[in-house]
Amino acid sequence: MKTTQNTRPSASRTAIFILMAVFLLTGPACTFSLVDLPLPFNTGSPPTQPANPTAPTPTPVPSAETAFTVKLPAPLQSGETLAISILDEVTGLALNAVNYPMQAVDAQTYTVSLPLALNSVVKYRYILLGDIRAQEVTSANVPVRYRLYQVSGPGAIQDTVTSWTGQPFSGATGHIQGLVLNAADGSPLPNILVTAGGVQTLSDSSGRFYLEGLPPGIHMLVAYAMDGSYQTFQQGAQVEKDLITPVQIHLGPAPMVKITFIVDVPKNTVQGAPVRMAGNLLQLGNTFGDLNGGLSTVADRMPTLTTMPDGRYTLTMQLPAGADLRYKYTLGDGFWNAEHKTSGEYRVRRLVVPQTDAIIQDTVETWQAGPSSPILFDVTVPANTPAGDIIYIQFYPYGWTEPIPMWPMGNNRWTYKLYGPLNILGNFGYRYCRNAQCGSADDIATTGNATTGRSITTSLTPQDIQESVTDWAWMQNPEPSTLVAAPIQARTTAFVAGVEFQPTYAPNWSAFTSQALQNIQALGSNWVVLTPTWTYTRTQPLVFTTQAGKDPLWSDNTRMISQARALNLNVALFPAPNFPAPAADWWRDAPRDPGWWEDWFDRYRQFALHHADLAARNDAQTLILGGDWLAGGLVDGEASGVPADADVRWQAIISDIRARFNGAIWWALPYTPGSLQSTPAFLENVDGIYLLWEAPLSERAAPPKEDMIAEAGRLLDEEVSPFQVAVEKPVILALAVPSATGTATACLPAPQGGCLDWMSLSRPNADIPSIEVNLQAQTDVYESMLTALNERAWLGGFISRGYYPPAMLQDKSASVHGKPAADLLWYWFPRLLGIAQ
């Protein structure tokens, strides 16, 4: 780690970088231990802060004494107790914590020494216990997810609590910025979790990371590979007020070994039910994100064991030697239907992965917890359920948790046997949905996220619930589309015909993207536009990076690109931001002073380079920059403060991308009538224009198709064609057309006035009742635009935007998945490409 410090442009002093004792893992362990983690079972509904269970029972695991000392922002109030909470991310951060009271050193300093398992990576945070419970938060008033500490021997940790929930922070802060590099060859490492002072971030493709808003003091800086493929790094870092602490971290790669797990399961396990392994690594279903119900694991991302002839189950995996593996066996996820001890405690196993191949033999004592008997859910779904869909069940014990895949029985019948944890439930809710998209692809009787679902109460006697789903939400069964044959002019192979994913994401999409891409290929598409995202979590200081659980991780994007390329689809990446508020509101509230714009352009440059590297390393053909989220020079009529040399800055970003990516660069340019009269000079540096069509085809809600074709042709001839001649770039039309009455006006009325953003109708957003679903209106706009395009050979392509990958829905959104507009594209795309006559 470097030991110098730099200031921000406005700072005028430097500070000394102080190193603490280093607790760095020097290499993988020579031996391995396999034990149960001493995490007792918490009873009752999970509170906002974990309950304080009894101390864990001793185990023969080699341990090291670790002293935690923490400085508080203010003395405790009467009746408050400070505790350190050791967390379990496999079961759920909110569900299975062990809390250890701390002892006062003085009014604002507390300490406790704990024996922690050697070679373990501990996840923890500080909490206040008492009449009003509180959790530590960052300077941005965001709850601390967890801090990390690797136990490589006896050690001491010094932490600082920034603030507590309900107590906004207003003190001084500093920053840590740095690089994460491969110790073997010096290459940058993306997707590394870096944390200090309770603040977490992920490194980008250049290995860069930013930890913003840290209070002055010493913080334990930890870099952790979420798949265990690199050894964990940790070291103390001194942060000073208004200063940047620069660091360079080198992670050593961990060798891979073959581990075979063999497990005996209880005799009452349903024969043929899939047994999965839930764990703390990415490859074992951990998303490292905050999901529904305080969970972090997703069943569909977990490996499934195979049945052996003797009835046992087995799984063989390549795992990184030395990794601290926490895992459990489950018939659901890390919480539902996961293994327990017969005493009722959660069972979480621990394995320090050995240096050589090994066989691990385990036994599941029970899937149940408490005296309540299992509940069998047996549901018959409608005949119009799309072929290939998977039915999920979602439970509501204290709020909705992550959906669980049910077990297919054939003939539209699905079952799921719930074993536990029933001892904490009593009465609870549940519902059914398609392809894990509960809240969107719902049983018609329990739609949306405001419902608590169907109700059931646990019992000492077994229950067999047999019921039916009468219909699915947003499955209207429209009449088959009538396609009118038209002479279509075939284009060259350079013509772009494809579909763009909507720019939202959930970790449970991963099970359905392959099928979605096959559906897109079946339309006759030759392109797919993927829309990876980063999230703005703070405006001052500016924080813009990948947020686990909300944005696709590097590995998620790599997998989707690989799936598309395997289908011979050309791939364009169109990265976009997630905002904590509507984009216009975010821009309005941002400082937008010169220093802020410096940071903004720096972060956008890293955002663009990250996705350029993603494209280059995975053979994607095109990177699309820009988009309708960029505010340009004005925000609500106010001067934005954008630098006068913004055009030069954009040119520099494009030039930097060229040095790392050999594919095409397109610029996404929103189009409304009159908007093309003045365009930025840097467009001469790109290879194509991705024209985001937002122009109305009529002022009427239900215009004749002939009128829409005429208006589309007029706009193309009078505005788009002169623009194309001026820029001398191919123009690809990109349409986002909601399936709603009035969509031809390009201004669906928002309940609060003005026009709706088309994305507000996308899933998983709540329905807007004032908008009327109209699948034919979407189809008519598409047909009008395609007809106009057919007569203008100078246009370079046509893209359907807003595709919802995980499920077919005949809703109000712009997605064509499962709608008549998809049939229209199926007819047009192969003919435009000369594949069909």
Side-chain angles (χ1 to χ4, degrees):
M1 179 181 290
K2 292 184 177 179
T3 59
T4 59
Q5 240 181 4
N6 297 330
T7 64
R8 286 182 176 268
S10 59
S12 59
R13 60 191 180 94
T14 60
I16 299 173
F17 182 70
I18 300 175
L19 299 182
M20 291 173 56
V22 179
F23 305 99
L24 178 62
L25 180 63
T26 56
C30 297
T31 59
F32 66 93
S33 58
L34 182 61
V35 298
D36 294 319
L37 289 180
L39 298 179
F41 182 78
N42 291 336
T43 59
S45 299
T48 54
Q49 298 297 330
N52 187 18
T54 58
T57 56
T59 69
V61 186
S63 63
E65 193 77 6
T66 305
F68 293 86
T69 301
V70 60
K71 183 178 180 181
L72 305 184
L76 298 183
Q77 300 297 311
S78 176
E80 291 181 334
T81 301
L82 179 69
I84 183 172
S85 188
I86 307 298
L87 304 171
D88 166 19
E89 196 168 19
V90 183
T91 306
L93 296 179
L95 299 170
N96 191 33
V98 180
N99 302 329
Y100 296 92
M102 302 185 74
Q103 294 76 45
V105 175
D106 57 43
Q108 291 180 237
T109 307
Y110 284 72
T111 188
V112 69
S113 292
L114 301 175
L116 299 176
L118 201 60
N119 296 322
S120 63
V121 177
V122 178
K123 299 171 180 178
Y124 70 99
R125 61 191 174 202
Y126 297 100
I127 61 173
L128 290 179
L129 302 175
D131 293 338
I132 300 177
R133 296 180 174 228
Q135 178 181 321
E136 62 170 322
V137 298
T138 68
S139 61
N141 202 33
V142 175
V144 169
R145 195 160 192 273
Y146 50 70
R147 301 167 182 260
L148 289 174
Y149 176 69
Q150 184 185 32
V151 184
S152 55
I157 304 170
Q158 297 181 39
D159 287 326
T160 300
V161 169
T162 304
S163 190
W164 303 106
T165 48
Q167 302 175 21
F169 176 78
S170 60
T173 62
H175 323 269
I176 298 176
Q177 297 181 8
L179 291 172
V180 183
L181 304 175
N182 187 331
D185 58 16
S187 61
L189 294 178
N191 216 38
I192 299 297
L193 177 64
V194 185
T195 179
V199 178
Q200 294 187 0
T201 191
L202 295 175
S203 60
D204 65 18
S205 67
S206 301
R208 286 181 62 174
F209 67 89
Y210 303 83
L211 293 170
E212 303 283 7
L214 296 170
I218 296 174
H219 299 280
M220 184 63 75
L221 176 68
V222 181
Y224 175 81
M226 295 183 289
D227 61 359
S229 58
Y230 290 87
Q231 297 167 1
T232 300
F233 171 95
Q234 68 183 17
Q235 191 162 318
Q238 176 75 33
V239 172
E240 297 287 351
K241 175 183 176 182
D242 296 331
L243 298 181
I244 297 171
T245 300
V247 300
Q248 193 172 98
I249 297 171
H250 296 265
L251 299 186
M256 304 300 287
V257 295
K258 184 172 72 173
I259 305 297
T260 297
F261 297 89
I262 299 174
V263 59
D264 277 304
V265 298
K267 295 188 182 302
N268 69 338
T269 303
V270 173
Q271 185 175 3
V275 176
R276 294 181 170 88
M277 179 182 285
N280 62 329
L281 301 180
L282 277 177
Q283 57 269 47
L284 296 180
N286 189 7
T287 66
F288 292 84
D290 295 317
L291 308 182
N292 289 320
L295 307 185
S296 296
T297 60
V298 171
D300 287 317
R301 299 172 72 101
M302 300 172 187
T304 302
L305 285 75
T306 57
T307 309
M308 301 175 68
D310 61 3
R312 293 181 297 168
Y313 287 76
T314 186
L315 172 69
T316 298
M317 299 185 70
Q318 292 288 326
L319 291 172
D324 175 26
L325 182 67
R326 315 292 177 99
Y327 70 100
K328 62 173 70 176
Y329 300 100
T330 179
L331 298 173
D333 57 19
F335 176 64
W336 295 109
N337 265 3
E339 60 174 318
H340 285 75
K341 297 180 182 180
T342 52
S343 60
E345 297 172 276
Y346 289 111
R347 182 184 287 279
V348 184
R349 303 172 185 269
R350 177 172 181 256
L351 169 69
V352 176
V353 179
Q355 298 257 353
T356 58
D357 297 352
I359 297 175
I360 308 300
Q361 299 199 42
D362 293 320
T363 298
V364 173
E365 294 179 28
T366 180
W367 303 117
Q368 296 174 233
S372 295
S373 293
I375 304 171
L376 179 66
F377 297 89
D378 188 331
V379 63
T380 300
V381 298
N384 70 337
T385 303
D389 273 12
I390 299 171
I391 307 306
Y392 284 67
I393 189 167
Q394 186 180 33
F395 297 112
Y396 190 103
Y398 47 85
W400 289 116
T401 56
E402 285 296 300
I404 304 293
M406 299 185 72
W407 307 327
M409 304 299 290
N411 296 321
N412 293 320
R413 183 169 158 246
W414 297 76
T415 64
Y416 189 74
K417 191 170 188 177
L418 181 62
Y419 294 89
L422 297 179
N423 58 330
I424 66 171
L425 295 181
N427 182 270
F428 64 100
Y430 68 97
R431 65 175 170 183
Y432 305 106
C433 64
R434 298 185 295 114
N435 290 359
Q437 302 311 297
C438 294
S440 298
D442 296 317
D443 169 9
I444 195 68
T446 56
T447 60
N449 285 322
T451 181
T452 57
R454 305 168 187 248
S455 181
I456 191 170
T457 301
T458 57
S459 171
L460 296 178
T461 58
Q463 299 182 70
D464 187 348
I465 309 300
Q466 298 188 21
E467 51 196 351
S468 298
V469 171
T470 59
D471 204 356
W472 296 113
W474 307 116
M475 291 293 292
Q476 301 180 38
N477 299 317
E479 294 296 324
S481 300
T482 301
L483 299 175
V484 179
I488 298 173
Q489 303 301 315
R491 309 301 178 90
T492 68
T493 55
F495 188 82
V496 174
V499 171
E500 176 194 310
F501 278 15
Q502 70 174 55
T504 53
Y505 173 79
N508 59 25
W509 282 20
S510 61
F512 309 104
T513 53
S514 178
Q515 183 60 55
L517 290 165
Q518 292 177 50
N519 293 342
I520 289 170
Q521 183 203 43
L523 296 178
S525 305
N526 63 348
W527 280 82
V528 63
V529 179
L530 303 179
T531 52
T533 55
W534 280 12
T535 295
Y536 283 108
T537 57
R538 196 170 184 177
T539 56
Q540 186 67 15
L542 188 64
V543 178
F544 183 39
T545 188
T546 304
Q547 185 175 349
K550 188 170 185 178
D551 304 314
L553 301 177
W554 181 272
S555 53
D556 297 318
N557 289 317
T558 296
R559 181 178 59 253
M560 284 189 282
I561 296 171
S562 176
Q563 291 169 343
R565 298 297 293 131
L567 294 169
N568 293 318
L569 289 170
N570 297 301
V571 176
L573 298 185
F574 184 14
N578 279 319
F579 292 96
D585 295 344
W586 187 88
W587 281 108
R588 185 190 61 242
D589 296 338
R592 291 181 281 125
D593 55 37
W596 185 87
W597 276 112
E598 287 288 337
D599 284 346
W600 187 90
F601 271 102
D602 179 67
R603 299 301 191 274
Y604 184 88
R605 177 181 177 275
Q606 289 307 120
F607 171 68
L609 290 176
H610 174 88
H611 291 98
D613 289 339
L614 179 67
R617 297 176 197 177
N618 294 281
D619 298 323
Q621 284 78 7
T622 296
L623 178 68
I624 305 175
L625 303 178
D628 47 15
W629 63 276
L630 289 172
L634 295 176
V635 180
D636 290 343
E638 299 179 7
S640 68
V642 67
D645 63 348
D647 197 85
V648 175
R649 293 171 185 257
W650 286 116
Q651 293 182 42
I653 290 172
I654 293 169
S655 178
D656 290 343
I657 291 172
R658 297 281 189 201
R660 296 160 77 155
F661 175 58
N662 294 325
I665 300 174
W666 298 346
W667 185 265
L669 188 66
Y671 167 63
T672 55
S675 65
L676 301 180
Q677 295 177 6
S678 176
T679 55
F682 65 80
L683 290 185
E684 67 182 18
N685 299 97
V686 302
D687 303 306
I689 304 299
Y690 194 63
L691 197 69
L692 307 180
W693 186 279
E694 299 172 2
L697 297 185
S698 176
E699 295 180 354
R700 299 165 59 184
K705 198 180 304 179
E706 294 77 12
D707 291 356
M708 289 194 290
I709 294 171
E711 179 62 7
R714 185 189 71 81
L715 293 172
L716 289 169
D717 292 340
E718 296 181 6
E719 298 196 14
V720 180
S721 179
F723 165 77
Q724 191 273 332
V725 170
V727 298
E728 298 181 313
K729 310 288 182 186
V731 173
I732 296 92
L733 298 180
L735 270 70
V737 184
S739 305
T741 299
T743 195
T745 66
C747 182
L748 297 174
Q752 69 277 15
C755 301
L756 280 175
D757 183 325
W758 66 271
M759 275 296 298
S760 62
L761 294 172
S762 298
R763 299 295 159 189
N765 293 332
D767 182 45
I768 301 177
S770 60
I771 302 299
E772 179 185 6
V773 64
N774 190 327
L775 305 182
Q776 189 60 45
Q778 180 190 52
T779 305
D780 290 346
V781 170
Y782 268 113
E783 187 172 5
S784 300
M785 290 299 300
L786 285 165
T787 301
L789 173 145
N790 189 43
E791 299 170 359
R792 291 157 179 85
W794 51 271
L795 286 168
F798 188 94
I799 295 287
S800 169
R801 303 184 68 198
Y803 192 89
Y804 185 62
M808 181 184 298
L809 292 173
Q810 293 159 356
D811 61 355
K812 305 170 187 179
S813 75
S815 174
V816 299
H817 192 180
K819 297 177 182 176
D823 297 333
L824 186 75
L825 298 180
W826 170 84
Y827 179 81
W828 276 82
F829 279 177
R831 289 161 178 80
L832 286 168
L833 296 171
I835 299 171
Q837 299 296 321

